[in-house]
């Protein structure tokens, strides 16, 4: 079975993770831009971050046979610094046009402030202008109300609801996302958000239509193998393989191909592993023999 | 490079690109100066590959253009060798850069190109580096070219170091030597460094000899073509 983790912050992960993910047949990933654990203070650090997502991280993933795409945006936490947010939003169009950028995200609400709502609305406009789908982050605190409000903002923006994935759903929010016509993403975390068994239950109840799972693995306690692990639990729980494959592969591919920058053919085969390549002065290897697969 | 040459190169590239990708001819500023804006150019430059290769197979844009012998001669003579080995998306971006340079003028273009380079993804960077020798006053792009040698992403490094007349013509010895040493580390073919034979110098001999000692001590293989820059007595 092939896996597509459509929400994972690989910049925060190690090469061991890439290797383990490739061994589990994770063939493609999407890295949404988010925050770094503390607020940034300059627009230039955002720009270098975006450059790393379209440059270094894409290269690093390819060295392990994983196709790397990204979605770019201003996360809600940092949207609260309005002067900085304005600068970042002015910068974004340059990077939203790059090949391999398959969406706007992750955007949405965190503290539910007017500043967050404004940046959310402005980025939905950017998504419309650049014809990109959107990953909406739903808040950890006051999640149900935040999800409701996020959906209201999405609807008011005029973007097609089918071009929006409401992410980090739980039992109390999945129906809100699906009933609105959006896609419903689920983050499987080691201890919070959602676990494998709860997810299997949800799939039994809601099926696989417009439903996806991801690991959202980052620099916190998280697990980059949660997508294959959850697939295994789903199969053990008697969910048909076809349904599982749809959730872990077909659905994210279908959703993000709405960008026009990703199609099934591009990721039909995992990228040829070529660790002999170097990037900007740095090999990910430190004296090991490069693993190079025959062409 | 005079403006006339620049115009001629542009025409050769433009005619060939439009013949296989008619959408290219629809970029408004290609024939209407008043439509040109640097802001719009930046976006067009990034999305160009998708515009050239619309439809289901987004991997397109890799097609060669098959220039004839005469066209290859003109392109090579004026700083763009190996045009038949370069994909459509690179050549199309080179054509766009030549047009932008004509519209912006000698004074503004170097800064704009440098900004495009620093903000570019890998294929964008490669196209810019191939275009550097084609601009009027190529020496004004020295900082951009040097920056490219300081990276190690293979495609970017190769775009400045190999099949590109820029380094041999415009780099001083320290930058040229470091570029060659880096070429060893990346194991790129030195034989493709244009003008290498004219730029061999004593410092380079020493660096190569030291490199051999280092590699031998570590029990690692030597680059195949290191003899191209060694003193005959070391061989």
């Amino acid at each position: 079975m092939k896996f597509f983790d459509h929400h994972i912050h690989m910049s925060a992960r190690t090469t061991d993770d890439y290797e383990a993910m490739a061994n589990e047949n994770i063939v493609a990933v999407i890295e949404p831009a988010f925050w770094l654990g503390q607020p940034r203070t300059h627009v230039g650090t955002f720009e270098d971050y975006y450059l790393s997502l379209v440059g270094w991280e894409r290269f690093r993933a390819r060295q392990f046979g994983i196709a790397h795409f990204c979605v770019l945006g201003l996360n809600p936490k940092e949207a609260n610094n309005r002067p900085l947010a304005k600068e970042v939003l002015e910068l974004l169009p340059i990077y939203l046009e790059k090949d391999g950028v398959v969406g706007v995200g992750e955007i949405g609400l965190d503290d539910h402030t007017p500043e967050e709502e404004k940046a959310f609305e402005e980025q939905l406009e950017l998504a419309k202008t650049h014809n990109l789908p959107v990953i909406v982050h739903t808040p950890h605190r006051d999640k149900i109300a935040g999800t409701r409000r996020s959906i209201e903002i999405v609807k008011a923006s005029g973007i097609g609801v089918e071009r929006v994935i409401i992410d980090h759903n739980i039992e109390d929010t999945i129906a809100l996302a699906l009933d609105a016509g959006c896609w419903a993403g689920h983050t499987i975390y080691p201890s919070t958000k959602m676990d494998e068994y709860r997810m299997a239950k949800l799939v039994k109840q809601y099926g696989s239509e417009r439903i996806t799972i991801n690991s959202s693995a980052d620099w916190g306690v998280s697990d980059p193998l949660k997508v294959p692990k959850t697939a295994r639990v789903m199969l053990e729980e008697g969910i048909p393989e076809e349904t599982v494959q749809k959730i872990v592969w077909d659905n994210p591919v279908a959703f993000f191909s709405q960008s026009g920058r990703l199609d099934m053919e591009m990721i039909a085969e995992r990228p040829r592993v070529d660790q002999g390549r170097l990037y900007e002065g740095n090999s990910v290897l430190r004296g090991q023999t490069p693993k190079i697969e025959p062409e | 490079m005079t403006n006339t040459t620049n115009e001629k190169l542009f025409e050769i590239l433009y005619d060939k690109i439009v013949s296989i990708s008619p959408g290219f001819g629809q970029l408004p500023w290609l024939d209407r100066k008043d439509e040109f804006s640097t802001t719009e150019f930046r976006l067009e430059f990034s999305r160009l590959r998708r515009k050239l290769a619309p439809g289901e197979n987004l991997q397109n844009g890799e097609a060669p253009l098959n220039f004839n012998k005469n066209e290859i001669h003109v392109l090579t003579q004026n700083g763009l060798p190996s045009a038949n080995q370069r994909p459509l998306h690179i050549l199309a971006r080179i054509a766009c850069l030549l047009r932008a340079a004509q519209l912006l003028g000698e004074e503004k273009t170097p800064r704009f190109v440098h900004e495009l380079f620093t903000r570019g993804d890998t294929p964008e960077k490669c196209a810019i580096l191939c275009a550097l020798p084609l601009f009027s006053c190529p020496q004004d792009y020295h900082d951009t070219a040097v920056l490219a040698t300081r990276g190690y992403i293979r495609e970017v490094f190769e775009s400045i170091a190999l099949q590109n007349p820029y380094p041999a013509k415009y780099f001083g010895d320290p930058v040229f030597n470091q570029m060659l040493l880096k070429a060893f580390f990346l194991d790129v073919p030195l034989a493709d460094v244009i003008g290498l034979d004219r730029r061999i110098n004593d410092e380079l001999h020493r660096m190569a000899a030291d490199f051999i000692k280092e590699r031998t001590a570590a029990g690692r293989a030597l680059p195949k073509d290191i003899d191209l820059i060694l003193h005959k007595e070391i061989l």
Side-chain angles (χ1 to χ4, degrees):
Chain A
M1 188 176 286
K2 290 203 296 188
F3 301 102
F4 191 150
D5 192 341
H6 74 82
H7 187 143
I8 183 164
H9 303 287
M10 290 311 302
S11 309
R13 309 301 306 192
T14 64
T15 54
D16 281 357
D17 290 330
Y18 268 127
E19 197 155 20
M21 289 164 69
N23 286 340
E24 289 283 349
N25 213 23
I26 295 175
V27 173
V29 297
I30 292 176
E31 176 152 9
F34 83 142
W35 81 322
L36 302 177
Q38 61 184 32
R40 277 162 282 209
T41 54
H42 298 88
V43 67
T45 56
F46 278 91
E47 180 157 26
D48 286 335
Y49 176 57
Y50 297 150
L51 277 165
S52 76
L53 294 185
V54 300
W56 166 247
E57 207 51 49
R58 194 173 289 174
F59 159 78
R60 214 163 71 100
R62 196 176 60 195
Q63 284 188 304
F64 293 88
I66 294 176
H68 181 281
F69 300 87
C70 63
V71 309
L72 300 181
L74 171 67
N75 66 85
K77 292 173 197 292
E78 288 171 299
N80 286 301
N81 179 345
R82 188 61 196 163
L84 180 59
K86 279 165 101 172
E87 289 183 80
V88 175
L89 294 179
E90 280 169 21
L91 177 72
L92 266 170
I94 294 176
Y95 292 97
L96 291 178
E97 280 303 325
K98 303 283 186 203
D99 289 331
V101 177
V102 295
V104 172
E106 52 186 305
I107 60 174
L109 301 175
D110 185 56
D111 274 350
H112 311 244
T113 64
E115 289 79 11
E116 290 174 10
E117 291 205 359
K118 185 149 183 57
F120 187 7
E121 289 162 356
E122 287 166 330
Q123 292 185 92
L124 288 168
E125 281 306 309
L126 282 176
K128 284 156 64 184
T129 306
H130 295 270
N131 203 21
L132 288 168
V134 176
I135 295 181
V136 173
H137 160 98
T138 51
H140 302 272
R141 300 174 301 283
D142 203 5
K143 191 173 194 76
I144 301 168
T147 305
R148 277 211 182 90
R149 181 67 189 135
S150 296
I151 291 169
E152 280 171 15
I153 291 171
V154 164
K155 284 187 169 169
S157 77
I159 192 170
V161 283
E162 73 289 351
R163 296 174 68 77
V164 174
I165 191 162
I166 305 289
D167 210 351
H168 316 317
N169 279 292
I170 55 173
E171 289 83 349
D172 297 317
T173 59
I174 177 172
L176 296 175
L178 292 175
D179 291 349
C182 298
W183 295 60
H186 301 81
T187 295
I188 317 299
Y189 253 22
S191 51
T192 58
K193 289 183 179 166
M194 173 65 66
D195 70 24
E196 293 95 317
Y197 294 92
R198 286 165 63 194
M199 190 65 224
K201 256 187 173 175
L202 281 182
V203 172
K204 283 182 181 173
Q205 188 181 346
Y206 289 92
S208 59
E209 201 60 40
R210 284 183 284 127
I211 287 176
T212 67
I213 59 171
N214 60 72
S215 72
S216 286
D218 56 17
W219 28 250
V221 177
S222 49
D223 180 353
L225 302 180
K226 277 297 188 190
V227 173
K229 283 178 180 173
T230 305
R232 268 198 292 279
V233 169
M234 286 181 188
L235 293 170
E236 283 164 19
E237 294 286 313
I239 295 168
E241 190 172 333
E242 197 182 294
T243 304
V244 178
Q245 183 71 85
K246 189 171 174 188
I247 290 169
V248 299
W249 182 264
D250 302 350
N251 280 352
V253 173
F255 179 78
F256 288 99
S257 32
Q258 295 182 92
S259 68
R261 307 183 199 177
L262 180 156
D263 64 21
M264 201 66 97
E265 201 158 302
M266 290 168 83
I267 50 174
E269 302 290 331
R270 65 189 181 91
R272 195 172 66 87
V273 175
D274 180 358
Q275 297 181 342
R277 286 169 186 273
L278 299 170
Y279 188 94
E280 300 288 353
N282 297 294
S283 170
V284 295
L285 301 174
R286 295 287 183 272
Q288 302 95 318
T289 305
K291 189 193 284 183
I292 299 176
E293 293 178 343
E295 297 207 37
Chain B
M1 189 79 34
T2 63
N3 268 339
T4 320
T5 314
N6 187 311
E7 188 68 40
K8 195 171 179 186
L9 285 177
F10 174 78
E11 277 171 19
I12 293 174
L13 292 171
Y14 179 88
D15 290 347
K16 196 63 97 176
I17 295 162
V18 168
S19 73
I20 68 166
S21 180
F24 185 70
Q26 286 158 19
L27 295 172
W29 44 268
L30 280 173
D31 54 10
R32 290 200 302 276
K33 189 171 181 171
D34 54 343
E35 299 278 352
F36 184 78
S37 95
T38 51
T39 308
E40 189 54 30
F41 182 90
R42 257 186 227 113
L43 301 177
E44 287 290 348
F45 194 65
S46 289
R47 65 170 80 104
L48 189 62
R49 188 168 176 161
R50 301 194 297 278
K51 276 204 164 176
L52 287 169
E56 286 184 4
N57 187 357
L58 303 177
Q59 300 276 32
N60 276 342
E62 291 293 340
L65 290 188
N66 299 319
F67 294 100
N68 65 34
K69 213 173 160 185
N70 184 42
E71 290 164 335
I72 286 291
H73 179 74
V74 176
L75 293 170
T76 305
Q77 286 304 304
N78 289 290
L80 187 61
S82 307
N84 277 342
Q85 278 74 56
R86 301 186 194 278
L88 167 64
H89 65 91
I90 293 282
L91 294 162
R93 283 195 170 120
I94 293 172
C96 288
L97 289 164
L98 289 175
R99 188 72 180 124
Q102 288 169 350
L103 298 174
L104 271 177
E106 279 177 20
E107 200 183 321
K108 290 182 183 162
T109 307
R111 197 167 161 189
F112 180 59
V113 166
H114 189 74
E115 188 218 307
L116 275 183
F117 180 80
T118 53
R119 291 179 148 176
D121 63 16
T122 297
E124 290 174 72
K125 284 186 160 110
C126 293
I128 290 165
L129 296 170
C130 295
L132 297 185
L134 313 177
F135 294 131
S136 340
C137 309
Q139 63 275 19
D140 291 350
Y141 301 83
H142 186 262
D143 290 353
T144 310
V146 173
L147 189 58
T149 68
R150 297 209 168 116
Y152 267 71
I153 181 169
R154 193 181 180 94
E155 295 93 329
V156 175
F157 181 80
E158 286 184 350
S159 294
I160 188 67
L162 307 184
Q163 293 301 317
N164 190 328
Y166 197 97
K169 272 193 190 165
Y170 302 105
F171 284 171
D173 282 348
V175 176
F176 193 81
N177 292 352
Q178 283 295 335
M179 184 188 82
L180 287 184
L181 211 56
K182 199 164 282 184
F184 294 148
F185 282 86
L186 286 170
D187 202 21
V188 303
L190 286 195
D192 284 347
V193 176
I194 291 179
L196 174 65
D197 50 341
R198 299 196 307 273
R199 295 298 307 268
I200 304 287
N201 56 74
D202 288 345
E203 183 64 0
L204 191 55
H205 285 298
R206 182 200 60 75
M207 290 164 95
D210 286 356
F211 175 74
I212 288 176
K213 274 190 231 157
E214 234 180 86
R215 275 279 165 108
T216 309
R220 297 178 63 193
L222 294 173
K224 293 181 283 288
D225 45 8
I226 194 162
D227 56 322
L228 288 175
I229 61 168
L230 284 178
H231 263 311
K232 287 207 173 65
E233 59 267 29
I234 300 176
L235 286 172

